[in-house]
Amino acid sequence: MKRVITYGTYDLLHYGHIELLRRAREMGDYLIVALSSDEFNKIKNKKSYYSYDQRKMMLESIRYVDLVIPEDDWGQKTKDVDRYEVDTFVMGHDWEGEFDFLKDQCEVIYLKRTEGISTTQIKKELYGKEK
């Protein structure tokens, strides 16, 4: 079984998120999504509209997602790759090169993001701000 993992906040879930999850799932048999916890978001100076539990429930309802785990700190990725026997680590291309240190443990792929949509864009248009 080929296991894939990706990370994110997944706030204001939109079709760009779904497309990323679909493409990530196509790379393996089992997709793990590490979801930023509310506490980790505070460390990153981010505020989600939905709570961790609400975001987790939405992700779990998506057919491409097999398991949702909490992301609590920047350093847990190497542990997660080992713990869940991950074969492929997937992130959006805006993180290009940031996770190359994982290449000793698994394949690292940066996917081009879906054009024309982002949570930042939605928040700007709705609220006039990025956070």
Side-chain angles (χ1 to χ4, degrees):
M1 177 183 293
K2 188 172 180 182
R3 294 173 180 256
V4 179
I5 194 166
T6 191
Y7 289 73
T9 303
Y10 296 96
D11 190 29
L12 301 183
L13 194 64
H14 55 71
Y15 69 87
H17 290 135
I18 304 301
E19 183 63 8
L20 178 78
L21 296 170
R22 182 190 65 76
R23 291 170 61 206
R25 181 61 162 74
E26 284 180 347
M27 296 179 182
D29 306 300
Y30 192 84
L31 177 61
I32 303 162
V33 178
L35 178 63
S36 296
S37 66
D38 295 331
E39 296 75 21
F40 187 42
N41 277 341
K42 286 178 190 169
I43 292 168
K44 296 187 292 182
N45 291 317
K46 282 182 136 183
K47 182 172 179 1
S48 292
Y49 182 80
Y50 294 107
S51 71
Y52 172 84
D53 289 332
Q54 291 167 324
R55 291 178 287 124
K56 182 175 188 272
M57 185 265 305
M58 287 187 282
L59 284 170
E60 288 173 336
S61 71
I62 298 168
R63 67 180 176 181
Y64 308 116
V65 176
D66 295 294
L67 176 66
V68 178
I69 62 172
E71 179 186 24
D72 294 313
D73 64 74
W74 291 110
Q76 81 179 60
K77 290 173 180 66
T78 55
K79 290 178 261 176
D80 290 344
V81 168
D82 281 339
R83 180 181 298 131
Y84 296 100
E85 300 176 0
V86 169
D87 299 290
T88 305
F89 175 94
V90 175
M91 288 295 284
H93 78 278
D94 53 329
W95 289 95
E96 187 94 33
E98 291 293 319
F99 304 108
D100 287 355
F101 64 89
L102 292 170
K103 287 183 176 180
D104 291 340
Q105 293 178 268
C106 63
E107 180 181 25
V108 176
I109 296 174
Y110 301 98
L111 291 177
K112 186 164 173 37
R113 291 199 181 258
T114 305
E115 289 189 34
I117 188 71
S118 72
T119 301
T120 300
Q121 173 192 345
I122 292 170
K123 287 181 177 182
K124 275 184 182 177
E125 291 177 11
L126 289 177
Y127 311 118
K129 58 183 177 180
E130 292 186 32
K131 294 180 185 177

